[in-house]
Amino acid sequence: MAETTSAVRFEHHGDPDVLKMQDVELAPPTEGELQIQHEAIGVNYIDIYHRKGVYAPPLPLPAGLGMEGVGVVRAVGAGVDGFAVGDRVAYVGGPPDAYSQARNLPAARALKVPSDLTPELTAALIFKGLTVEYLIHRCRAISAGDTVLWHAAAGGVGTIACQWLSAKGVTVIGTASSAEKLEKAKVNGCTHPVNYRQTDFEACVEELTDGAGVDVVYDSVGADTFEKSLNCLRPRGTMVSFGEASGPVDPVAISTLGAKGSLYLTRPSIAHYTAQRSEYEAAAANLFQAIREGSVRAPEITTYALGDAAQAHTDMEARRTTGSVVLIP
Ligand code: NDP
């Protein structure tokens, strides 16, 4: 029997006010699915791209939103092994419908949550932590002694990156847009905080590395920073362009990578690095181990009620948030 639940829906791409809470039908879970009662929901920048319709391909409308949730299993579909009613699970991935009281989810995306993690902390850490996990181990293996440039170092992903990289003995040159944000990045392990609104970050990198350049740039800002970021790399360095908070990056001529020093360029997505169940589980185990060891710690968390999702988006887009943003249903 279908039940009714509350969920965020939008019928048009656009500004945050397109997001509306609605009563929606929730059918029993079908084969291979779990039904989850959400306890906490992570807000990620990809939700903003989905809402605006800038992420290719745009979601067919009307659509739900949200790629990260934590909650309790309340029904198990046919053919699902390893999960039972009452288990606390977290997930990263689609289809986007995490902004809801309850939902059905492919069981293949569910991860059991360690008993010492609260739902709110898990929602603050799982999507962003798994992003950092693949970016610094599998997209490009970073080791002690390496130097990286990380943009938006006080944001959700940036905070966890500063923590994890500093625990590995990596020098992090981190950018942010205000003194307050830079202070927070420093507390989280950023070695050299740089205000890229006031200072030329390319010149800073040159000075901080004695002209050598960094091993890797992690650039999620996109349009505003991409070109200068390429100039910050050492010969044979790697450009990891993993987001576009300021807008999409213009096409790059392959010859540019040669001229700037035989550079590597990748545009990775967490979807491709967690698609295989075995990789997804191993990445989660790596993240949970880093949390147990203290390499990854509780970030600053700002919570909003699920019904205030539009306000959460407004604040995130206005660059007012630091650390992780979590919705409480
Ligand atoms: P953040 O909390 O980091 O918020 C985005 C930050 O980007 C802002 O706080 C701001 O920091 C900075 N920024 C720079 N220019 C702009 C602009 N014009 N408008 C808005 N923000 C701007 O978000 P998340 O932690 O959720 O995500 C960080 C990035 O990582 C996003 O770009 C996201 O798409 C990407 N990402 C990519 C993944 C992947 O697998 N490819 C997975 C997860 C996230 P400041 O004010 O300091 O500049």
Side-chain angles (χ1 to χ4, degrees), residues 44-46 49 127-128 131 134 152 155-157 176-177 181 196 220-221 224 242-246 267-270 316-317 319 321 323:
N44 295 286
Y45 221 88
I46 189 172
Y49 305 141
F127 190 101
K128 297 162 188 74
T131 298
Y134 89 79
V157 173
S177 63
K181 286 186 174 189
Y196 58 177
S220 65
V221 170
D224 287 355
F242 71 103
E244 48 188 57
S246 69
R267 201 316 180 185
S269 162
I270 188 172
M316 208 164 176
E317 273 183 283
R319 303 162 81 155
T321 62

PDB file of all heavy atoms in Angstrom, residues 44-46 49 127-128 131 134 152 155-157 176-177 181 196 220-221 224 242-246 267-270 316-317 319 321 323, ligand 1:
ATOM      1  N   ASN A  44      24.711  19.356  -0.803  1.00  0.00           N
ATOM      2  CA  ASN A  44      25.954  19.411  -1.578  1.00  0.00           C
ATOM      3  C   ASN A  44      25.784  20.339  -2.771  1.00  0.00           C
ATOM      4  O   ASN A  44      24.665  20.522  -3.266  1.00  0.00           O
ATOM      5  CB  ASN A  44      26.316  18.003  -2.062  1.00  0.00           C
ATOM      6  CG  ASN A  44      26.644  17.103  -0.898  1.00  0.00           C
ATOM      7  OD1 ASN A  44      27.704  17.223  -0.290  1.00  0.00           O
ATOM      8  ND2 ASN A  44      25.711  16.224  -0.542  1.00  0.00           N
ATOM      9  N   TYR A  45      26.909  20.882  -3.237  1.00  0.00           N
ATOM     10  CA  TYR A  45      26.819  21.861  -4.322  1.00  0.00           C
ATOM     11  C   TYR A  45      26.171  21.280  -5.572  1.00  0.00           C
ATOM     12  O   TYR A  45      25.532  21.998  -6.339  1.00  0.00           O
ATOM     13  CB  TYR A  45      28.197  22.470  -4.627  1.00  0.00           C
ATOM     14  CG  TYR A  45      28.056  23.957  -4.876  1.00  0.00           C
ATOM     15  CD1 TYR A  45      28.103  24.869  -3.829  1.00  0.00           C
ATOM     16  CD2 TYR A  45      27.796  24.433  -6.145  1.00  0.00           C
ATOM     17  CE1 TYR A  45      27.906  26.219  -4.052  1.00  0.00           C
ATOM     18  CE2 TYR A  45      27.603  25.778  -6.385  1.00  0.00           C
ATOM     19  CZ  TYR A  45      27.659  26.667  -5.336  1.00  0.00           C
ATOM     20  OH  TYR A  45      27.458  28.005  -5.560  1.00  0.00           O
ATOM     21  N   ILE A  46      26.286  19.966  -5.744  1.00  0.00           N
ATOM     22  CA  ILE A  46      25.657  19.340  -6.921  1.00  0.00           C
ATOM     23  C   ILE A  46      24.137  19.548  -6.895  1.00  0.00           C
ATOM     24  O   ILE A  46      23.496  19.636  -7.949  1.00  0.00           O
ATOM     25  CB  ILE A  46      26.021  17.843  -7.022  1.00  0.00           C
ATOM     26  CG1 ILE A  46      25.548  17.264  -8.350  1.00  0.00           C
ATOM     27  CG2 ILE A  46      25.465  17.041  -5.867  1.00  0.00           C
ATOM     28  CD1 ILE A  46      26.009  15.853  -8.640  1.00  0.00           C
ATOM     29  N   TYR A  49      23.538  22.704  -8.690  1.00  0.00           N
ATOM     30  CA  TYR A  49      23.629  22.518 -10.158  1.00  0.00           C
ATOM     31  C   TYR A  49      22.357  21.828 -10.661  1.00  0.00           C
ATOM     32  O   TYR A  49      21.819  22.184 -11.715  1.00  0.00           O
ATOM     33  CB  TYR A  49      24.822  21.642 -10.546  1.00  0.00           C
ATOM     34  CG  TYR A  49      26.201  22.064 -10.048  1.00  0.00           C
ATOM     35  CD1 TYR A  49      27.117  21.106  -9.620  1.00  0.00           C
ATOM     36  CD2 TYR A  49      26.608  23.390 -10.049  1.00  0.00           C
ATOM     37  CE1 TYR A  49      28.384  21.444  -9.193  1.00  0.00           C
ATOM     38  CE2 TYR A  49      27.877  23.736  -9.613  1.00  0.00           C
ATOM     39  CZ  TYR A  49      28.765  22.764  -9.183  1.00  0.00           C
ATOM     40  OH  TYR A  49      30.028  23.107  -8.753  1.00  0.00           O
ATOM     41  N   PHE A 127      29.170  12.174   1.970  1.00  0.00           N
ATOM     42  CA  PHE A 127      29.354  12.554   0.560  1.00  0.00           C
ATOM     43  C   PHE A 127      30.681  13.305   0.382  1.00  0.00           C
ATOM     44  O   PHE A 127      31.479  12.995  -0.504  1.00  0.00           O
ATOM     45  CB  PHE A 127      28.181  13.436   0.107  1.00  0.00           C
ATOM     46  CG  PHE A 127      28.120  13.708  -1.376  1.00  0.00           C
ATOM     47  CD1 PHE A 127      27.247  13.009  -2.185  1.00  0.00           C
ATOM     48  CD2 PHE A 127      28.918  14.679  -1.969  1.00  0.00           C
ATOM     49  CE1 PHE A 127      27.175  13.254  -3.554  1.00  0.00           C
ATOM     50  CE2 PHE A 127      28.853  14.930  -3.331  1.00  0.00           C
ATOM     51  CZ  PHE A 127      27.981  14.219  -4.122  1.00  0.00           C
ATOM     52  N   LYS A 128      30.906  14.258   1.285  1.00  0.00           N
ATOM     53  CA  LYS A 128      32.109  15.085   1.149  1.00  0.00           C
ATOM     54  C   LYS A 128      33.356  14.273   1.493  1.00  0.00           C
ATOM     55  O   LYS A 128      34.399  14.411   0.854  1.00  0.00           O
ATOM     56  CB  LYS A 128      31.976  16.325   2.030  1.00  0.00           C
ATOM     57  CG  LYS A 128      30.798  17.208   1.582  1.00  0.00           C
ATOM     58  CD  LYS A 128      30.360  18.187   2.652  1.00  0.00           C
ATOM     59  CE  LYS A 128      29.089  18.902   2.270  1.00  0.00           C
ATOM     60  NZ  LYS A 128      27.875  18.049   2.382  1.00  0.00           N
ATOM     61  N   THR A 131      34.150  11.992  -1.303  1.00  0.00           N
ATOM     62  CA  THR A 131      34.733  12.788  -2.395  1.00  0.00           C
ATOM     63  C   THR A 131      36.230  12.980  -2.154  1.00  0.00           C
ATOM     64  O   THR A 131      37.063  12.726  -3.041  1.00  0.00           O
ATOM     65  CB  THR A 131      34.028  14.160  -2.486  1.00  0.00           C
ATOM     66  OG1 THR A 131      32.648  13.942  -2.785  1.00  0.00           O
ATOM     67  CG2 THR A 131      34.661  15.045  -3.546  1.00  0.00           C
ATOM     68  N   TYR A 134      38.312   9.690  -2.673  1.00  0.00           N
ATOM     69  CA  TYR A 134      38.755   9.283  -4.016  1.00  0.00           C
ATOM     70  C   TYR A 134      39.696  10.318  -4.631  1.00  0.00           C
ATOM     71  O   TYR A 134      40.630   9.963  -5.353  1.00  0.00           O
ATOM     72  CB  TYR A 134      37.554   8.957  -4.931  1.00  0.00           C
ATOM     73  CG  TYR A 134      36.977  10.119  -5.730  1.00  0.00           C
ATOM     74  CD1 TYR A 134      37.590  10.578  -6.905  1.00  0.00           C
ATOM     75  CD2 TYR A 134      35.812  10.755  -5.324  1.00  0.00           C
ATOM     76  CE1 TYR A 134      37.062  11.625  -7.636  1.00  0.00           C
ATOM     77  CE2 TYR A 134      35.273  11.808  -6.053  1.00  0.00           C
ATOM     78  CZ  TYR A 134      35.911  12.247  -7.208  1.00  0.00           C
ATOM     79  OH  TYR A 134      35.388  13.290  -7.932  1.00  0.00           O
ATOM     80  N   ALA A 152      38.560  26.859  -2.396  1.00  0.00           N
ATOM     81  CA  ALA A 152      37.378  26.765  -1.510  1.00  0.00           C
ATOM     82  C   ALA A 152      37.700  25.863  -0.323  1.00  0.00           C
ATOM     83  O   ALA A 152      36.952  24.949   0.025  1.00  0.00           O
ATOM     84  CB  ALA A 152      36.142  26.275  -2.280  1.00  0.00           C
ATOM     85  N   GLY A 155      35.131  25.305   2.590  1.00  0.00           N
ATOM     86  CA  GLY A 155      33.806  24.754   2.277  1.00  0.00           C
ATOM     87  C   GLY A 155      33.655  23.342   2.825  1.00  0.00           C
ATOM     88  O   GLY A 155      34.488  22.860   3.608  1.00  0.00           O
ATOM     89  N   GLY A 156      32.583  22.677   2.410  1.00  0.00           N
ATOM     90  CA  GLY A 156      32.303  21.340   2.919  1.00  0.00           C
ATOM     91  C   GLY A 156      33.391  20.347   2.549  1.00  0.00           C
ATOM     92  O   GLY A 156      34.025  19.725   3.420  1.00  0.00           O
ATOM     93  N   VAL A 157      33.661  20.197   1.259  1.00  0.00           N
ATOM     94  CA  VAL A 157      34.700  19.275   0.794  1.00  0.00           C
ATOM     95  C   VAL A 157      36.073  19.788   1.238  1.00  0.00           C
ATOM     96  O   VAL A 157      36.926  19.015   1.706  1.00  0.00           O
ATOM     97  CB  VAL A 157      34.631  19.126  -0.751  1.00  0.00           C
ATOM     98  CG1 VAL A 157      35.805  18.312  -1.272  1.00  0.00           C
ATOM     99  CG2 VAL A 157      33.304  18.482  -1.166  1.00  0.00           C
ATOM    100  N   ALA A 176      40.380  30.814   0.051  1.00  0.00           N
ATOM    101  CA  ALA A 176      39.007  31.101   0.474  1.00  0.00           C
ATOM    102  C   ALA A 176      38.804  32.609   0.307  1.00  0.00           C
ATOM    103  O   ALA A 176      39.764  33.345   0.054  1.00  0.00           O
ATOM    104  CB  ALA A 176      38.774  30.665   1.917  1.00  0.00           C
ATOM    105  N   SER A 177      37.547  33.041   0.468  1.00  0.00           N
ATOM    106  CA  SER A 177      37.235  34.421   0.082  1.00  0.00           C
ATOM    107  C   SER A 177      37.146  35.396   1.243  1.00  0.00           C
ATOM    108  O   SER A 177      36.780  36.557   1.030  1.00  0.00           O
ATOM    109  CB  SER A 177      35.912  34.441  -0.699  1.00  0.00           C
ATOM    110  OG  SER A 177      34.857  33.994   0.137  1.00  0.00           O
ATOM    111  N   LYS A 181      36.965  32.744   6.867  1.00  0.00           N
ATOM    112  CA  LYS A 181      37.027  31.409   6.260  1.00  0.00           C
ATOM    113  C   LYS A 181      38.456  30.867   6.300  1.00  0.00           C
ATOM    114  O   LYS A 181      38.684  29.675   6.541  1.00  0.00           O
ATOM    115  CB  LYS A 181      36.543  31.463   4.805  1.00  0.00           C
ATOM    116  CG  LYS A 181      35.041  31.623   4.659  1.00  0.00           C
ATOM    117  CD  LYS A 181      34.650  31.521   3.188  1.00  0.00           C
ATOM    118  CE  LYS A 181      33.138  31.534   3.013  1.00  0.00           C
ATOM    119  NZ  LYS A 181      32.722  31.225   1.641  1.00  0.00           N
ATOM    120  N   TYR A 196      41.929  34.602  -1.954  1.00  0.00           N
ATOM    121  CA  TYR A 196      42.020  34.806  -3.413  1.00  0.00           C
ATOM    122  C   TYR A 196      41.141  35.939  -3.908  1.00  0.00           C
ATOM    123  O   TYR A 196      41.096  36.200  -5.108  1.00  0.00           O
ATOM    124  CB  TYR A 196      41.818  33.512  -4.195  1.00  0.00           C
ATOM    125  CG  TYR A 196      40.538  32.701  -4.045  1.00  0.00           C
ATOM    126  CD1 TYR A 196      40.377  31.556  -4.839  1.00  0.00           C
ATOM    127  CD2 TYR A 196      39.524  33.006  -3.177  1.00  0.00           C
ATOM    128  CE1 TYR A 196      39.250  30.756  -4.743  1.00  0.00           C
ATOM    129  CE2 TYR A 196      38.386  32.213  -3.067  1.00  0.00           C
ATOM    130  CZ  TYR A 196      38.261  31.094  -3.847  1.00  0.00           C
ATOM    131  OH  TYR A 196      37.145  30.312  -3.750  1.00  0.00           O
ATOM    132  N   SER A 220      37.555  23.266  -7.633  1.00  0.00           N
ATOM    133  CA  SER A 220      36.103  23.083  -7.757  1.00  0.00           C
ATOM    134  C   SER A 220      35.410  24.408  -8.022  1.00  0.00           C
ATOM    135  O   SER A 220      34.195  24.469  -8.070  1.00  0.00           O
ATOM    136  CB  SER A 220      35.541  22.465  -6.473  1.00  0.00           C
ATOM    137  OG  SER A 220      35.714  23.367  -5.393  1.00  0.00           O
ATOM    138  N   VAL A 221      36.190  25.468  -8.189  1.00  0.00           N
ATOM    139  CA  VAL A 221      35.597  26.790  -8.419  1.00  0.00           C
ATOM    140  C   VAL A 221      35.321  26.980  -9.911  1.00  0.00           C
ATOM    141  O   VAL A 221      34.318  27.557 -10.308  1.00  0.00           O
ATOM    142  CB  VAL A 221      36.512  27.889  -7.826  1.00  0.00           C
ATOM    143  CG1 VAL A 221      36.060  29.275  -8.244  1.00  0.00           C
ATOM    144  CG2 VAL A 221      36.521  27.783  -6.299  1.00  0.00           C
ATOM    145  N   ASP A 224      36.319  30.914 -12.685  1.00  0.00           N
ATOM    146  CA  ASP A 224      37.128  32.019 -12.145  1.00  0.00           C
ATOM    147  C   ASP A 224      38.583  31.643 -11.884  1.00  0.00           C
ATOM    148  O   ASP A 224      39.432  32.536 -11.790  1.00  0.00           O
ATOM    149  CB  ASP A 224      36.535  32.513 -10.807  1.00  0.00           C
ATOM    150  CG  ASP A 224      35.252  33.302 -10.993  1.00  0.00           C
ATOM    151  OD1 ASP A 224      34.867  33.544 -12.154  1.00  0.00           O
ATOM    152  OD2 ASP A 224      34.637  33.662  -9.967  1.00  0.00           O
ATOM    153  N   PHE A 242      37.208  19.528 -10.454  1.00  0.00           N
ATOM    154  CA  PHE A 242      36.107  18.661  -9.999  1.00  0.00           C
ATOM    155  C   PHE A 242      34.825  19.408  -9.664  1.00  0.00           C
ATOM    156  O   PHE A 242      33.908  18.834  -9.080  1.00  0.00           O
ATOM    157  CB  PHE A 242      36.567  17.762  -8.833  1.00  0.00           C
ATOM    158  CG  PHE A 242      36.809  18.465  -7.521  1.00  0.00           C
ATOM    159  CD1 PHE A 242      35.878  18.391  -6.495  1.00  0.00           C
ATOM    160  CD2 PHE A 242      37.968  19.180  -7.293  1.00  0.00           C
ATOM    161  CE1 PHE A 242      36.088  19.020  -5.274  1.00  0.00           C
ATOM    162  CE2 PHE A 242      38.186  19.828  -6.083  1.00  0.00           C
ATOM    163  CZ  PHE A 242      37.241  19.749  -5.068  1.00  0.00           C
ATOM    164  N   GLY A 243      34.734  20.653 -10.068  1.00  0.00           N
ATOM    165  CA  GLY A 243      33.488  21.395  -9.828  1.00  0.00           C
ATOM    166  C   GLY A 243      33.528  22.733 -10.521  1.00  0.00           C
ATOM    167  O   GLY A 243      34.557  23.122 -11.101  1.00  0.00           O
ATOM    168  N   GLU A 244      32.392  23.441 -10.453  1.00  0.00           N
ATOM    169  CA  GLU A 244      32.285  24.705 -11.186  1.00  0.00           C
ATOM    170  C   GLU A 244      31.372  25.673 -10.450  1.00  0.00           C
ATOM    171  O   GLU A 244      30.403  26.187 -11.014  1.00  0.00           O
ATOM    172  CB  GLU A 244      31.800  24.442 -12.605  1.00  0.00           C
ATOM    173  CG  GLU A 244      30.590  23.522 -12.691  1.00  0.00           C
ATOM    174  CD  GLU A 244      30.235  23.109 -14.117  1.00  0.00           C
ATOM    175  OE1 GLU A 244      31.104  22.540 -14.796  1.00  0.00           O
ATOM    176  OE2 GLU A 244      29.087  23.376 -14.522  1.00  0.00           O
ATOM    177  N   ALA A 245      31.704  25.924  -9.163  1.00  0.00           N
ATOM    178  CA  ALA A 245      30.851  26.799  -8.350  1.00  0.00           C
ATOM    179  C   ALA A 245      30.729  28.191  -8.963  1.00  0.00           C
ATOM    180  O   ALA A 245      29.709  28.861  -8.795  1.00  0.00           O
ATOM    181  CB  ALA A 245      31.406  26.883  -6.930  1.00  0.00           C
ATOM    182  N   SER A 246      31.757  28.660  -9.706  1.00  0.00           N
ATOM    183  CA  SER A 246      31.692  30.000 -10.299  1.00  0.00           C
ATOM    184  C   SER A 246      31.275  29.957 -11.770  1.00  0.00           C
ATOM    185  O   SER A 246      31.221  30.984 -12.421  1.00  0.00           O
ATOM    186  CB  SER A 246      33.065  30.682 -10.187  1.00  0.00           C
ATOM    187  OG  SER A 246      34.001  30.034 -11.026  1.00  0.00           O
ATOM    188  N   ARG A 267      38.733  15.457 -15.144  1.00  0.00           N
ATOM    189  CA  ARG A 267      37.476  16.035 -14.654  1.00  0.00           C
ATOM    190  C   ARG A 267      36.683  14.857 -14.052  1.00  0.00           C
ATOM    191  O   ARG A 267      35.857  14.237 -14.710  1.00  0.00           O
ATOM    192  CB  ARG A 267      36.730  16.690 -15.813  1.00  0.00           C
ATOM    193  CG  ARG A 267      35.684  17.753 -15.446  1.00  0.00           C
ATOM    194  CD  ARG A 267      34.821  17.379 -14.309  1.00  0.00           C
ATOM    195  NE  ARG A 267      33.837  18.374 -13.954  1.00  0.00           N
ATOM    196  CZ  ARG A 267      33.048  18.237 -12.896  1.00  0.00           C
ATOM    197  NH1 ARG A 267      33.154  17.180 -12.098  1.00  0.00           N
ATOM    198  NH2 ARG A 267      32.149  19.145 -12.622  1.00  0.00           N
ATOM    199  N   PRO A 268      36.983  14.529 -12.783  1.00  0.00           N
ATOM    200  CA  PRO A 268      36.416  13.314 -12.192  1.00  0.00           C
ATOM    201  C   PRO A 268      35.048  13.547 -11.553  1.00  0.00           C
ATOM    202  O   PRO A 268      34.687  14.682 -11.237  1.00  0.00           O
ATOM    203  CB  PRO A 268      37.432  12.988 -11.107  1.00  0.00           C
ATOM    204  CG  PRO A 268      37.889  14.331 -10.625  1.00  0.00           C
ATOM    205  CD  PRO A 268      37.868  15.248 -11.837  1.00  0.00           C
ATOM    206  N   SER A 269      34.331  12.459 -11.326  1.00  0.00           N
ATOM    207  CA  SER A 269      33.052  12.512 -10.623  1.00  0.00           C
ATOM    208  C   SER A 269      32.995  11.378  -9.598  1.00  0.00           C
ATOM    209  O   SER A 269      33.401  10.241  -9.890  1.00  0.00           O
ATOM    210  CB  SER A 269      31.908  12.353 -11.617  1.00  0.00           C
ATOM    211  OG  SER A 269      30.728  11.999 -10.930  1.00  0.00           O
ATOM    212  N   ILE A 270      32.452  11.674  -8.440  1.00  0.00           N
ATOM    213  CA  ILE A 270      32.318  10.649  -7.391  1.00  0.00           C
ATOM    214  C   ILE A 270      31.485   9.474  -7.897  1.00  0.00           C
ATOM    215  O   ILE A 270      31.700   8.332  -7.486  1.00  0.00           O
ATOM    216  CB  ILE A 270      31.711  11.254  -6.095  1.00  0.00           C
ATOM    217  CG1 ILE A 270      31.760  10.238  -4.961  1.00  0.00           C
ATOM    218  CG2 ILE A 270      30.312  11.785  -6.319  1.00  0.00           C
ATOM    219  CD1 ILE A 270      31.369  10.790  -3.604  1.00  0.00           C
ATOM    220  N   MET A 316      24.274  28.928   0.710  1.00  0.00           N
ATOM    221  CA  MET A 316      25.444  28.264   0.123  1.00  0.00           C
ATOM    222  C   MET A 316      25.901  28.998  -1.142  1.00  0.00           C
ATOM    223  O   MET A 316      27.094  29.232  -1.349  1.00  0.00           O
ATOM    224  CB  MET A 316      25.073  26.828  -0.206  1.00  0.00           C
ATOM    225  CG  MET A 316      26.230  25.880  -0.186  1.00  0.00           C
ATOM    226  SD  MET A 316      25.573  24.203  -0.127  1.00  0.00           S
ATOM    227  CE  MET A 316      27.096  23.316  -0.228  1.00  0.00           C
ATOM    228  N   GLU A 317      24.935  29.373  -1.971  1.00  0.00           N
ATOM    229  CA  GLU A 317      25.306  30.076  -3.216  1.00  0.00           C
ATOM    230  C   GLU A 317      25.888  31.446  -2.944  1.00  0.00           C
ATOM    231  O   GLU A 317      26.691  31.950  -3.719  1.00  0.00           O
ATOM    232  CB  GLU A 317      24.053  30.229  -4.092  1.00  0.00           C
ATOM    233  CG  GLU A 317      23.806  29.049  -4.976  1.00  0.00           C
ATOM    234  CD  GLU A 317      22.597  29.281  -5.868  1.00  0.00           C
ATOM    235  OE1 GLU A 317      21.467  29.164  -5.362  1.00  0.00           O
ATOM    236  OE2 GLU A 317      22.794  29.583  -7.053  1.00  0.00           O
ATOM    237  N   ARG A 319      27.844  32.084  -0.671  1.00  0.00           N
ATOM    238  CA  ARG A 319      29.159  31.806  -0.065  1.00  0.00           C
ATOM    239  C   ARG A 319      29.161  32.128   1.421  1.00  0.00           C
ATOM    240  O   ARG A 319      30.197  32.461   1.985  1.00  0.00           O
ATOM    241  CB  ARG A 319      30.261  32.582  -0.812  1.00  0.00           C
ATOM    242  CG  ARG A 319      30.297  32.255  -2.287  1.00  0.00           C
ATOM    243  CD  ARG A 319      31.039  33.278  -3.116  1.00  0.00           C
ATOM    244  NE  ARG A 319      32.480  33.086  -3.069  1.00  0.00           N
ATOM    245  CZ  ARG A 319      33.321  33.487  -3.998  1.00  0.00           C
ATOM    246  NH1 ARG A 319      32.845  34.075  -5.080  1.00  0.00           N
ATOM    247  NH2 ARG A 319      34.605  33.309  -3.879  1.00  0.00           N
ATOM    248  N   THR A 321      28.211  29.929   3.787  1.00  0.00           N
ATOM    249  CA  THR A 321      28.398  28.740   4.624  1.00  0.00           C
ATOM    250  C   THR A 321      29.861  28.311   4.647  1.00  0.00           C
ATOM    251  O   THR A 321      30.608  28.541   3.699  1.00  0.00           O
ATOM    252  CB  THR A 321      27.541  27.565   4.113  1.00  0.00           C
ATOM    253  OG1 THR A 321      27.964  27.236   2.781  1.00  0.00           O
ATOM    254  CG2 THR A 321      26.063  27.922   4.106  1.00  0.00           C
ATOM    255  N   GLY A 323      32.191  24.705   6.173  1.00  0.00           N
ATOM    256  CA  GLY A 323      31.965  23.333   6.630  1.00  0.00           C
ATOM    257  C   GLY A 323      30.747  22.735   5.930  1.00  0.00           C
ATOM    258  O   GLY A 323      30.447  23.075   4.784  1.00  0.00           O
TER     259      GLY A 323
HETATM  260  P1  NDP B   1      31.214  24.339  -0.639  1.00  0.00           P
HETATM  261  O1  NDP B   1      30.772  24.279   0.765  1.00  0.00           O
HETATM  262  O2  NDP B   1      32.677  24.243  -0.889  1.00  0.00           O
HETATM  263  O3  NDP B   1      30.645  25.650  -1.316  1.00  0.00           O
HETATM  264  C1  NDP B   1      31.197  26.138  -2.501  1.00  0.00           C
HETATM  265  C2  NDP B   1      32.300  27.174  -2.238  1.00  0.00           C
HETATM  266  O4  NDP B   1      32.871  27.525  -3.493  1.00  0.00           O
HETATM  267  C3  NDP B   1      31.830  28.473  -1.630  1.00  0.00           C
HETATM  268  O5  NDP B   1      31.675  28.451  -0.228  1.00  0.00           O
HETATM  269  C4  NDP B   1      32.904  29.425  -2.071  1.00  0.00           C
HETATM  270  O6  NDP B   1      33.984  29.455  -1.136  1.00  0.00           O
HETATM  271  C5  NDP B   1      33.432  28.815  -3.377  1.00  0.00           C
HETATM  272  N1  NDP B   1      33.069  29.644  -4.540  1.00  0.00           N
HETATM  273  C6  NDP B   1      33.958  30.219  -5.363  1.00  0.00           C
HETATM  274  N2  NDP B   1      33.329  30.929  -6.303  1.00  0.00           N
HETATM  275  C7  NDP B   1      32.017  30.837  -6.048  1.00  0.00           C
HETATM  276  C8  NDP B   1      30.857  31.381  -6.672  1.00  0.00           C
HETATM  277  N3  NDP B   1      30.939  32.196  -7.743  1.00  0.00           N
HETATM  278  N4  NDP B   1      29.649  31.072  -6.154  1.00  0.00           N
HETATM  279  C9  NDP B   1      29.541  30.261  -5.089  1.00  0.00           C
HETATM  280  N5  NDP B   1      30.610  29.703  -4.453  1.00  0.00           N
HETATM  281  C10 NDP B   1      31.837  30.003  -4.933  1.00  0.00           C
HETATM  282  O7  NDP B   1      30.448  23.197  -1.472  1.00  0.00           O
HETATM  283  P2  NDP B   1      30.672  21.609  -1.432  1.00  0.00           P
HETATM  284  O8  NDP B   1      31.622  21.265  -0.368  1.00  0.00           O
HETATM  285  O9  NDP B   1      29.349  20.948  -1.479  1.00  0.00           O
HETATM  286  O10 NDP B   1      31.350  21.322  -2.845  1.00  0.00           O
HETATM  287  C11 NDP B   1      32.581  21.936  -3.194  1.00  0.00           C
HETATM  288  C12 NDP B   1      32.819  21.748  -4.675  1.00  0.00           C
HETATM  289  O11 NDP B   1      33.146  20.411  -4.919  1.00  0.00           O
HETATM  290  C13 NDP B   1      31.620  22.089  -5.572  1.00  0.00           C
HETATM  291  O12 NDP B   1      32.082  22.774  -6.716  1.00  0.00           O
HETATM  292  C14 NDP B   1      31.098  20.734  -5.947  1.00  0.00           C
HETATM  293  O13 NDP B   1      30.433  20.719  -7.165  1.00  0.00           O
HETATM  294  C15 NDP B   1      32.390  19.936  -5.998  1.00  0.00           C
HETATM  295  N6  NDP B   1      32.185  18.494  -5.813  1.00  0.00           N
HETATM  296  C16 NDP B   1      32.547  17.658  -6.822  1.00  0.00           C
HETATM  297  C17 NDP B   1      32.446  16.315  -6.689  1.00  0.00           C
HETATM  298  C18 NDP B   1      32.958  15.442  -7.754  1.00  0.00           C
HETATM  299  O14 NDP B   1      33.022  14.198  -7.569  1.00  0.00           O
HETATM  300  N7  NDP B   1      33.347  15.962  -8.902  1.00  0.00           N
HETATM  301  C19 NDP B   1      31.840  15.708  -5.489  1.00  0.00           C
HETATM  302  C20 NDP B   1      31.530  16.656  -4.455  1.00  0.00           C
HETATM  303  C21 NDP B   1      31.673  18.012  -4.635  1.00  0.00           C
HETATM  304  P3  NDP B   1      34.842  30.829  -1.027  1.00  0.00           P
HETATM  305  O15 NDP B   1      33.836  31.897  -0.648  1.00  0.00           O
HETATM  306  O16 NDP B   1      35.853  30.583   0.000  1.00  0.00           O
HETATM  307  O17 NDP B   1      35.406  31.070  -2.402  1.00  0.00           O
END
